[in-house]
Structures are given as C-alpha cells and as structure tokens.
Amino acid sequence: MKKYLKSIAAMAVISVMALGIAGCGSSDSKTDESSNANTEGTTTEEKDTLVVATNAEFPPYEYYEGQEIVGIDVEIMKAVGEKLGMEVTIEDMAFDSIIPAIQSGKADIGAAGMTVTEDRLANVDFTDTYCHASQAIIVNASNEEIKTADDLTGKTIGVQLGTTGDMYAGDVTENVERYNKGFEAAMAVAQGKIDAVVIDDQVAKSLAEGNDQLKVLDEPFTEEDYAIAVKKGNTELVEKINGALTELKEDGTIQSIIDKYIAE
Ligand code: GLN
C-alpha cells in the first residue's frame, strides 16, 4: 500500500516529474475537439447528479480506504463532475452488474477500469479512453514453468468474473476459475490451487506487492484501453464527458491523479 501516495504535496511534485511514465499513462486516444464540457442548450439532461457505478475491488482505480471509496477512477469522475457542474455519487457493485445498471438507468455511467471491447459496445457506448492498460499474468513466486503468455495453454487460470481477463483466459484454456474478487484469485495462486491469474496490470502489481508468494510476469497478456461506459444512445452525455476529459487531459489533471496512485 506504500505506493498509494496520499499527500497532495507528493502528488504535485510527482505529477511534474512522471509525465508519460505511469503505466496507466497519458492516453493516446482521439478526443473530440468539437465537444465541450460547457454544455449550453442541454435539453434532455436536467439532472445535477451523476450516478457512477463501479466495483471497489480494483486498486488503485477503485478501492475502500476505511468507509470511503477512493482511487484513480473515483478522482477522475469527481473532476469530470466538477467540470460539468454535477454532483458525483459512487455506487459500488459487482463488476458484471455495472453494464446492466447503466442499461436499466440505475446508474448514469460506469467507471471501473473498464476496457473498451466490441462485445460491450453492443450494450453500452464508451467515452474517449483515459488510461492505457494491459492484462498481466500473476503466478506463484516459486513457479519456474510459466514465463510468458504462451506457457498458459491448458493451465488453470483464475480471473475476475466478467472481465477481459475472463474473456482472454478462455482463449487459451478450458480451465478458467472465476472469482468475484481479483484478490480471491490471487490467494488461490499463492496457495497453489490454480496456476495463474490474468488481471489488469496495475491491480496485479498491487496484489503481488502485498504477498511475496506472488510474482507478476514482465510480458503482458494483452494491451487495452479504459473508458467510461454510458447508456447506449446517450451521445449527449458521452460528448459532455468527452469535453470534460479533454480539458482534464490538457490541463494535466488526469496525469496528476494517475501519478498520485501509480508511482513508477
Ligand atoms: N479492465 C478489465 C475489464 O474491463 C477489468 C475491470 C475490473 O475488474 N474492474 O474487464
């Protein structure tokens, strides 16, 4: 947990130093220059609260610190809310409940280190991306057999239910063990119950950091990009959020939030 720098002063210093270094670094995504956070003439969105669905089992993006949910996504969403003049409410739920919550209107958006995938695009729209990430492989520290993704064929792989790790693991083995929490999957590797875990890189690092029976392989399994999920067809909200994200990228806010949580 020592990586989660809490001091604002440290954040300010590091954000200047570490531009572009963080794993979840400056996104190379296209941004829509024509959209703007200052949405005059809004017709359909009268709400002043933005209900954000997340799964607070995903450090450093969203996790509990005491009773409070903190992390990169939470802070980015609060900054977006500020830009849009909206109050942000965070709703914690299972990862695979987030898209249904957006579809049913229980939540306005999902911010949960969520990777943009073709499958998900059939059910929700995505904003511009704000983080580049990868799926990493965690194995037992004593494991000398699994060195790269190629060595995972046919192995028993633990994943968090409904994640991209879950999707990709199924491509290389029939033995996929699905857990509600990445932490539980990591424990199973530590205890030698399964061979490996495929999970987002920063989460993998944070899990391995707290347990010397775990190691993260250098080579990632896949590369991917995170974005915020919005109800299908709500282009107005997508554009508003994209406008805010563009400003927050340009003024360095997003990078400084990332640097606050990810010290490389
Ligand atoms: N990035 C992964 C996905 O979108 C995992 C996200 C998560 O578990 N919060 O599926």
Side-chain angles (χ1 to χ4, degrees), residues 55 58 62 95 112-116 120 135 160 162-165 200 224 226:
N55 171 236
F58 205 64
E62 39 270 335
F95 183 74
M114 192 180 284
T115 307
V116 180
R120 289 175 184 159
Q135 292 295 307
Q160 192 188 354
T163 61
T164 45
D200 301 54
E224 47 194 45
Y226 295 165

Side-chain angles (χ1 to χ4, degrees), residues 54-157:
T54 198
N55 171 236
E57 296 287 344
F58 205 64
Y61 298 95
E62 39 270 335
Y63 59 99
Y64 278 93
E65 215 169 62
Q67 300 284 79
E68 201 193 346
I69 302 174
V70 297
I72 294 171
D73 288 333
V74 177
E75 292 204 25
I76 291 176
M77 289 324 304
K78 284 184 180 162
V80 166
E82 217 160 278
K83 286 272 181 207
L84 301 181
M86 296 174 93
E87 200 177 303
V88 170
T89 308
I90 307 288
E91 295 274 344
D92 184 22
M93 60 188 72
F95 183 74
D96 64 346
S97 298
I98 294 173
I99 288 180
I102 296 165
Q103 289 177 306
S104 71
K106 188 167 171 253
D108 296 310
I109 60 176
M114 192 180 284
T115 307
V116 180
T117 69
E118 286 299 317
D119 286 355
R120 289 175 184 159
L121 278 166
N123 297 311
V124 284
D125 289 338
F126 280 103
T127 64
D128 292 333
T129 61
Y130 61 92
C131 271
H132 184 71
S134 62
Q135 292 295 307
I137 300 162
I138 309 177
V139 295
N140 195 290
S142 66
N143 188 321
E144 295 299 331
E145 193 193 345
I146 301 173
K147 291 197 165 64
T148 71
D150 293 340
D151 302 325
L152 286 178
T153 309
K155 292 284 189 290
T156 303
I157 305 177

Side-chain angles (χ1 to χ4, degrees), residues 7-260:
S7 119
I8 300 291
M11 163 184 143
V13 173
I14 291 169
S15 67
V16 173
M17 293 173 1
L19 265 174
I21 297 173
C24 175
S26 50
S27 167
D28 54 0
S29 70
K30 54 189 181 335
T31 50
D32 183 354
E33 299 294 342
S34 66
S35 63
N36 195 300
N38 300 322
T39 49
E40 271 179 68
T42 296
T43 48
T44 55
E45 280 283 324
E46 296 298 335
K47 288 173 70 178
D48 57 4
T49 301
L50 196 59
V51 180
V52 180
T54 198
N55 171 236
E57 296 287 344
F58 205 64
Y61 298 95
E62 39 270 335
Y63 59 99
Y64 278 93
E65 215 169 62
Q67 300 284 79
E68 201 193 346
I69 302 174
V70 297
I72 294 171
D73 288 333
V74 177
E75 292 204 25
I76 291 176
M77 289 324 304
K78 284 184 180 162
V80 166
E82 217 160 278
K83 286 272 181 207
L84 301 181
M86 296 174 93
E87 200 177 303
V88 170
T89 308
I90 307 288
E91 295 274 344
D92 184 22
M93 60 188 72
F95 183 74
D96 64 346
S97 298
I98 294 173
I99 288 180
I102 296 165
Q103 289 177 306
S104 71
K106 188 167 171 253
D108 296 310
I109 60 176
M114 192 180 284
T115 307
V116 180
T117 69
E118 286 299 317
D119 286 355
R120 289 175 184 159
L121 278 166
N123 297 311
V124 284
D125 289 338
F126 280 103
T127 64
D128 292 333
T129 61
Y130 61 92
C131 271
H132 184 71
S134 62
Q135 292 295 307
I137 300 162
I138 309 177
V139 295
N140 195 290
S142 66
N143 188 321
E144 295 299 331
E145 193 193 345
I146 301 173
K147 291 197 165 64
T148 71
D150 293 340
D151 302 325
L152 286 178
T153 309
K155 292 284 189 290
T156 303
I157 305 177
V159 296
Q160 192 188 354
L161 177 72
T163 61
T164 45
D166 188 352
M167 286 166 44
Y168 304 139
D171 292 341
V172 297
T173 185
E174 286 179 2
N175 307 316
V176 180
E177 296 281 334
R178 298 181 173 85
Y179 298 84
N180 284 322
K181 303 175 181 184
F183 175 76
E184 293 165 354
M187 284 306 103
V189 172
Q191 292 160 5
K193 290 182 185 160
I194 59 174
D195 298 309
V197 172
V198 173
I199 196 162
D200 301 54
D201 53 346
Q202 295 301 334
V203 182
K205 277 188 203 166
S206 126
L207 290 168
E209 215 169 73
N211 190 330
D212 54 15
Q213 284 171 304
L214 300 175
K215 66 180 175 191
V216 182
L217 301 188
D218 292 337
E219 189 190 299
F221 196 52
T222 55
E223 302 282 338
E224 47 194 45
D225 288 303
Y226 295 165
I228 295 153
V230 180
K231 190 170 190 167
K232 195 124 203 79
N234 193 349
T235 42
E236 186 181 310
L237 186 55
V238 170
E239 281 175 14
K240 280 165 77 171
I241 294 172
N242 282 346
L245 286 175
T246 300
E247 289 181 23
L248 294 166
K249 284 175 190 172
E250 283 173 2
D251 71 9
T253 303
I254 289 187
Q255 192 62 50
S256 69
I257 292 170
I258 291 167
D259 293 341
K260 176 180 167 187

